[in-house]
Every structure is written in structure tokens, then in C-alpha cells.
Amino acid sequence: MTRRTDRHTAAEDLIPAPAPADDRDAFWAEQAARLHWDTPWTQVLDWSDAPFARWFADGRLNVAYNCVDRHVEAGHGEQVAIHWEGEPGDTRTITYADLQREVSRTANALLSLGLTTGDRVAIQLPMIPEAVFAMLACARLGLPHSVVFGGFSPAALQSRIADAEAKLLITADGQYRRGQAVAMKDGTDEAVAHAPSIEHVLVVRRTGSAVAWTEGRDLWWHDLVDAQADTHTPEAFDAEHPLFILYTSGTTGKPKGILHTSGGYLTQAAYSHRAAFDHRAGDDVYWCTADIGWITGHSYIVYGPLANRATSVMYEGTPNTPHEGRHFEIIQKYGVSLYYTAPTLIRTFMKWGEGIPARYDLSSLRVLGSVGEPINPQAWLWYREHIGGNRTPVVDTWWQTETGAIMIAPLPGNGLVPKPGSAQTPLPGISAKVVDDQGIEVGKGESGYLVLDRPWPAMLRGVWGDEERYRETYWSRFAQQGYYFAGDGARYDEDGDIWLLGRVDDVMNVSGHRISTAEVESALVSHPAVAEAAVVGATDATTGQAIVAFVILRGSATEGSDTITALRNHVAREIGPIAKPRQVMVVPELPKTRSGKIMRRLLRDVAEQREIGDVTTLADASVMSLINNNLGGAAAHND
């Protein structure tokens, strides 16, 4: 494999200017040139088989080499790649040289199991370094990985293994959650019992708990991996070689495996990480709080940061274990300068109170990021004031599992006037529009559907094993125009900046008026009595849909009819009488996945008095019982 050292000058690290449409290929060629290519490409984009893109298709590279080895060869082997914090307080410091050795051992172990290029590997692990080693080892060997979130049920894991026909499952004996050792292997054993494609199960010993064992199939990580040689020479693969399959959550029936390939994905993951956070290799300490099992963990814990030679923090546990200041304690300990988290966690911090972050030295922070859903303005302002010290830019990012990388965000230092709650503009090299039902771009101040009207390097290459589903799900709505439909509503403000309104199915139709759940939630959270809110549309015989709100009150607020009336009137004042909730329910918690997304589907079940649906993806399934028990009292108030 041809080697080269990093050759970028300080000038090359500046945020690039937006690329005109006719220069977009040149723009992405420049970004791709920051990577190491064993075989250079001759064509940036082949869109002749739209909607199936081929980026840098005749080029060859190795993703893991770009994330690890080239940094070591350039003299940065002693730079810390990962500061790892276990929930119980154990820590590991992993340099790039350490990472190279661990990934090499893991790759050699996978080869010893007879895996060959193209075989799929399923991974269900907690937030431990072995998850990164496993992903990079797969990338090194050309083995597409399918990482399954650790909180998913055995049935969800089994369906994903079956769809990908994975030969190997990498898991752990258990994981730490909220101070407790929680079993994992029992669930993976249940899944594998119905997954005939699995030949071996490789188990990391994390908690030391007793596990059932199947001889010949099950292997301990420390027995197999630690015995391997710590050197391995990677080979280059085609830029369009599959890198990973990631299954979208919350759907029913056959799981939908989003396929991402190598060259284009890595190009945009690295570029967007560098640009969105103004990342400076060797200087910054970066922390993305996502779980490895979601796309944010793939793009902004593993591939993007490591390709950029980042020093990252990786944390195993929950933000309130053993105390509510744990995140701020970690920021202070490592001098985190770039912090990327979800609005739901920010609102949780708000609920806990500004006195907690005030106890810690957060002066190292210089850029804050938000991911996962539109951030309401009140949370944006609180985030900047109480965590960012009223001095840091807040980068509100919009993107999806399907896009692979950040698409819309206000880049730090680009001169934009911050707008709390708005992702504002597409990144340089990206083209997005807000259109009406006919695919015609709407005007300033108008709402519609968010579409991507030009291909981008990190775009999904299809749904695994289901070409028609790919076309139908993402391209049929605006097939005539050739637009990718993101499934989100959005609006332009009077300056032409983009405001995300959430999923189209999170837009309510009240008496013929389209009202965003995010807009009503923002209005509720702007009231001093409310810590967090979730809104759904419930079937209503008169208005078609009626607005039902679920709110968590701040500690100082008193529950009662006066408060509920005040909240309903507050929304009417903030948005208009049409947005006044029919019903406000005070609840102790909201149902969330472990990545922090609110499961509005379950709240809709409550609002419409239906049987509660599947709760297996919730971080805490008992939340629904708490809600139902609470609503048995006087917590639900309506006209």
C-alpha cells in the first residue's frame, strides 16, 4: 500500500467558501483530496443511474488507514485519539499508535475466523473502545458492519442480523447503565438462536457477570483478539465498496437497512466534522455524546473525527450517574472544546437547573453543537448562556441516517447572525430547498417540504436488498424533479434561512391549518413553568386533529388548573389561537430512545386512548407506566 504523510497547510484548514452549482464537483474533489487514495479517481460523480450515485468510483482507498495509520506515519502516534470514561469511573487513554495496534489485532482476529471481503459483521456493544476497534477492523478488511444499538430487543437484533445475513456478532457480557451492571449476552443469545447465518459470537468482558456459553460458537474477545499480532497491512478497496449498513429505528415490519459506501461517505464525514465544528487537529478536544449505535456515532464519534486526527472523549454511561454534573465534570477534566449533544439532553439540563453547570469550569468550550431534532429557541439560549458562557457559537445541525453527514448548519465563523432554533443554511457543497406539493420552491416566510435537489457524497446508496423500497421511500414523492425528499417539513424565514419543523408526520392539521409540533413545543418551553414538552396531534371529530401537549414542569412550578390554563393561553399568544392545545397533560418523564429522541408515537397512543404500542426502543420502558399512573390522577387538563 502506497504511503504518504499529511501535507495540509494551515490555509487549507480554513472553512471553504460555498461552491456554485457548476463548481460542486471541483469542491468535492478538493475535499476528497484531503484523504489518502491508493488509486486516484478520474471522475468525481457518476449520476447516470440516478438515484444510485457513484462518487469517486474508480478510486481506491482504505477507510481505516485514513482514520488511523496515516496519522501514526505522519508522526502523531502519541497524540490521544480517545479519552474513554466508563460509567463506574474507570478510564482508558488510547493514542493513535495504541489505536493502530488494537485495530490491527482485531482485524487479525476476524481474519482468523475465516471472514472474507464482503462478509457482514453485526456489532451490539456498549460505549466502550472495543466498539471503535471492531468498526475500524471491519472497515480495514472490507467487511460491512451493522451496528445495532445496545438498547434494542433480541427480536430487533435478530431481524437486523437476518436481513444482513451477518456471519459474526460482536457483543459484550453486559453494560453499565445508571450504576448497575445490565446483562447483554442473554439477549444476544436469544437473537442468535433464530439467526442461522451467525457462525461465531465474539464477547467482550465488560461487567464480569456470568454468561451462558456455547462452545465452538462463542469466543472471548480477550482470548482471541489479545493473542493476535499487533500489526496488519490494510488493502485498498473501491470507493463504492460497502462500508456499513445501519437500520433505521421506529419502523414496523421488515427493517430498513441504510447502505453507505466508503470514499464519498468518508470524504463528507471528515469535511463536515472539520467545517461544522471548526476542528483544529492536535489542539481541540472534541466530545460527541451520541451512542455508537446511531448514525451520529458512526459519523461523528468514529469516522469523521478520526479521519481528521481528532482527540475525542467517549463516555459509556448516563448523564446523571453518579450525579447530574457528570458531563460538566468530564468537560472540565479533559478541557473539552467542542461539545455535540441533543436538544433533549439540553432540556434535561435545564430541568436540573443552571446551578449544576455553574459549579464547573467550562471555559475550554469554544463551539457547541446540537443534533437529533430541531432545537427550540429557549433551549438554544439556555445552552449558550449556561454551558457556553454567552460566548460560544451554537451549531444547530440538520441531517439524517440517510444523508450520512451534516447537511444544514450555521458554520462557526461564517459571518451569519445566529438565529436560535434555526439550522439556517446548507453547508458549502450542499444544495437544499423548501418546496410545495408540486415541487416548486416556496417563497420567503413560507413553509413546505425540505428536499435535496443535488446528490452529495455521503448519500445512502440504497436500502440493503431492496432497490424498489429505496426508490419509493426517498425519490417517488418528487420523482419528476429528481429531488430526494427528506421527510421533514421546513420553512424559509424572511431572510431565506431554513427552519426545520420536524417530520412531516409531526405536522398537525388543525381545521385545515398545518401546525408544527416543534413550534408548539417551543412555545411551551418558553414559559417559565415548563422544563420540557412534547406535542402530538390526536384525532378530533370537529377539527380533524387537536393538539395534545405533554409537559414536564420545572421544580418551582405548581401543578394545577391555573398553570394549565396559563400554558394553553401562552401558546395561543405565542403562535395564535389555532395552536391552543385542546389538552395539556403534566407528566413526570417523556418516552425517549436512548439517543434522546421523543417517541411521539407512544404519546399519540395515550392521547387517543389506544393500547400502548411497542416500547422496546425506549431507554426506560417504565416511563409509559409512570405516564399512565400519573394521568390516573388529576394531571390531565382540558376544556
Side-chain angles (χ1 to χ4, degrees), residues 513-534:
H513 297 271
R514 290 171 59 81
I515 300 172
S516 162
T517 58
E519 194 172 14
V520 181
E521 288 166 2
S522 291
L524 285 164
V525 174
S526 70
H527 191 282
V530 177
E532 192 166 8

Side-chain angles (χ1 to χ4, degrees), residues 323-363:
H323 54 79
E324 292 171 345
R326 186 68 185 269
H327 271 224
F328 311 119
E329 181 180 67
I330 291 172
I331 291 170
Q332 175 180 279
K333 177 178 179 179
Y334 293 110
V336 172
S337 53
L338 315 175
Y339 180 71
Y340 193 30
T341 195
T344 185
L345 182 57
I346 297 164
R347 292 190 293 267
T348 298
F349 290 152
M350 291 172 66
K351 180 174 65 176
W352 293 344
E354 59 268 20
I356 294 174
R359 297 173 197 156
Y360 299 89
D361 180 4
L362 307 181
S363 61

Side-chain angles (χ1 to χ4, degrees), residues 38-103:
D38 287 78
T39 302
W41 69 89
T42 61
Q43 182 181 17
V44 174
L45 169 64
D46 178 359
W47 193 228
S48 61
D49 188 27
F52 294 90
R54 292 172 57 81
W55 285 85
F56 317 111
D58 55 349
R60 292 173 65 84
L61 79 170
N62 186 284
V63 169
Y65 175 82
N66 273 280
C67 291
V68 184
D69 305 67
R70 67 176 177 137
H71 305 317
V72 177
E73 293 171 8
H76 302 294
E78 295 311 304
Q79 178 184 323
V80 174
I82 300 170
H83 291 295
W84 178 76
E85 283 272 331
E87 191 185 81
D90 48 338
T91 64
R92 292 171 69 178
T93 300
I94 301 162
T95 66
Y96 274 93
D98 295 332
L99 188 58
Q100 184 184 43
R101 287 188 286 268
E102 294 293 348
V103 172

Side-chain angles (χ1 to χ4, degrees), residues 9 57 62 79 107 271 391 404 408 467 520 551 590 612:
T9 65
N62 186 284
Q79 178 184 323
Y271 152 70
R391 54 185 170 71
I408 304 174
E467 178 178 320
V520 181
V551 300
L590 293 171
I612 302 299

Side-chain angles (χ1 to χ4, degrees), residues 364-410:
S364 60
L365 290 168
R366 67 178 188 85
V367 176
L368 299 175
S370 171
V371 61
E373 61 180 331
I375 182 171
N376 53 291
Q378 189 77 7
W380 191 104
L381 292 166
W382 192 96
Y383 191 26
R384 188 175 189 274
E385 178 181 356
H386 295 291
I387 298 180
N390 271 330
R391 54 185 170 71
T392 58
V394 176
V395 181
D396 177 10
T397 64
W398 176 86
W399 59 295
Q400 302 174 313
T401 301
E402 292 87 347
T403 71
I406 295 168
M407 304 294 282
I408 304 174

